[in-house]
Amino acid sequence: MSQKVTKAIFPVAGLGTRFLPATKSIPKEIMTLVDRPLIQYAIDEARAAGIEEFIFVTSRGKGALEDYFDHSHELEASLKARGKAELLKVLQATNMDSGAIAYVRQHKALGLGHAVWCARRLMAPDEPFAVLLTDDVILGEPPCLQQMIEAYAETGGSMVATMEVAPEKTSSYGVLDVAEDMGAIVRARGLVEKPPAGAAPSNLAVIGRYILAPTVMQNLHHTQEGSGGEIQLTDAIADELAAGRDVFGLRFRGQRYDCGSKAGFLQATVAFGLAREDLRDEFSEYLDDIRAATSRAAE
Ligand code: G1P
């Protein structure tokens, strides 16, 4: 029913101003949760879902992100010479095949839809593609994009990851208008980007994982400025519905962290620290200690 999805677009052109001053000199996608940059989590998730080609939409000042994916031959040789087999394995797991990564520039910050559209020449006219937003880090088993690929194999069309958010938060997200709720999968009748408070059609928010029909890229040729004066991906997906094509949401299984916000980033740091076998005991002991100290101080 559906075509295989082998290409993914990673819009990574954002300035990351919420993380200044750190982002003065490092791209926010290089910021680390424990010891892995945010971008590595997204790449690993895409690979697990069968993605073979990775397209980064970058901008000025993202050089460190491009360098990150170079093979580090000197470092590998030095680790090998020193018998550091474990570290060598960690490093080699980040190596990408030659030609598997392509970079295109977004010259103006015109919005997420525009960023995705910047990759149009790297797509065949008839191929579906994935989009992953690195700010949304998701702990899930199987990983979120793989869950979506499996669901999409049944549904075809276009699919967004979705989860329920508190009603007062809907204005920060793309929101689904639900035509049919089938449990894990919902069929959309509309999508609205950042609806004003009180005007959201539901509290099902779009989370940054997408599998998109090739027609979404065509829609982006004509998408006008929308919410915030930007060209919105949500609007190009909503155009699919207007054209009579299907859009689904998948309520994925897993925990999502909003690493575009400082509080979300800190929560993710704690969660990923606790998820790591090599750190769990020491770290949770520390967390217990500070919790006990805080409640003693409050007495
Ligand atoms: C983007 C999308 C929005 C989506 C959100 C998920 O918004 O435009 O539809 O709900 O990501 O994180 P942003 O957070 O970049 O403003």
Side-chain angles (χ1 to χ4, degrees):
M1 175 180 237
S2 61
Q3 257 174 285
K4 198 162 181 265
V5 183
T6 58
K7 285 188 187 171
I9 299 175
F10 299 79
V12 290
L15 295 174
T17 45
R18 275 192 268 180
F19 284 93
L20 281 170
T23 45
K24 236 170 98 178
S25 69
I26 52 161
K28 70 171 173 181
E29 298 79 13
I30 293 287
M31 289 176 42
T32 53
L33 286 179
V34 190
D35 49 14
R36 301 162 76 72
L38 285 185
I39 189 71
Q40 188 68 55
Y41 289 97
I43 290 280
D44 289 349
E45 186 180 330
R47 278 169 146 179
I51 298 297
E52 293 161 7
E53 290 178 66
F54 306 79
I55 299 162
F56 290 177
V57 183
T58 68
S59 60
R60 282 163 72 92
K62 297 282 176 167
L65 188 57
E66 301 191 11
D67 293 346
Y68 174 78
F69 287 103
D70 284 340
H71 292 207
S72 188
H73 299 294
E74 276 173 28
L75 196 51
E76 284 185 24
S78 143
L79 291 174
K80 205 179 267 170
R82 290 188 291 144
K84 306 266 187 198
E86 277 307 307
L87 280 178
L88 190 61
K89 230 164 64 193
V90 168
L91 194 63
Q92 285 174 337
T94 66
N95 286 348
M96 307 291 283
D97 293 341
S98 294
I101 299 190
Y103 302 93
V104 288
R105 290 266 189 168
Q106 185 188 28
H107 293 112
K108 281 188 189 166
L110 296 179
L112 178 60
H114 179 260
V116 169
W117 181 73
C118 287
R120 66 198 177 281
R121 291 202 173 86
L122 299 175
M123 299 291 166
D126 57 353
E127 74 186 331
F129 57 97
V131 176
L132 291 94
L133 307 187
T134 52
D135 276 354
D136 285 325
V137 177
I138 301 171
L139 255 179
E141 196 43 55
C144 180
L145 192 65
Q146 194 179 329
Q147 295 177 35
M148 291 174 71
I149 293 278
E150 285 163 15
Y152 166 80
E154 305 291 321
T155 61
S158 290
M159 179 171 281
V160 299
T162 185
M163 67 179 233
E164 260 96 15
V165 298
E168 66 274 15
K169 298 268 173 152
T170 47
S171 54
S172 304
Y173 294 93
V175 177
L176 292 168
D177 188 357
V178 177
E180 190 185 354
D181 195 332
M182 298 166 274
I185 297 174
V186 300
R187 179 190 292 277
R189 115 173 90 228
L191 280 104
V192 195
E193 180 67 14
K194 304 198 172 78
S202 77
N203 65 340
L204 266 187
V206 175
I207 299 303
R209 301 288 184 276
Y210 307 79
I211 297 174
L212 300 176
T215 37
V216 174
M217 194 61 99
Q218 289 153 26
N219 299 344
L220 281 169
H221 295 317
H222 313 289
T223 306
Q224 303 291 311
E225 287 175 9
S227 165
E230 297 189 337
I231 295 168
Q232 297 293 350
L233 184 58
T234 302
D235 293 344
I237 301 171
D239 287 347
E240 289 294 277
L241 294 162
R245 290 184 285 267
D246 289 335
V247 177
F248 299 94
L250 177 73
R251 289 189 176 96
F252 57 93
R253 299 179 304 282
Q255 183 67 38
R256 171 258 185 177
Y257 297 92
D258 174 12
C259 289
S261 79
K262 284 177 235 212
F265 200 96
L266 285 172
Q267 287 160 15
T269 301
V270 173
F272 280 76
L274 290 174
R276 279 273 293 260
E277 246 172 65
D278 55 335
L279 298 170
R280 186 178 299 146
D281 292 347
E282 191 183 342
F283 191 41
S284 63
E285 206 174 296
Y286 169 72
L287 292 177
D288 290 345
D289 287 352
I290 47 174
R291 207 169 300 132
T294 327
S295 54
R296 268 199 309 276
E299 275 163 18

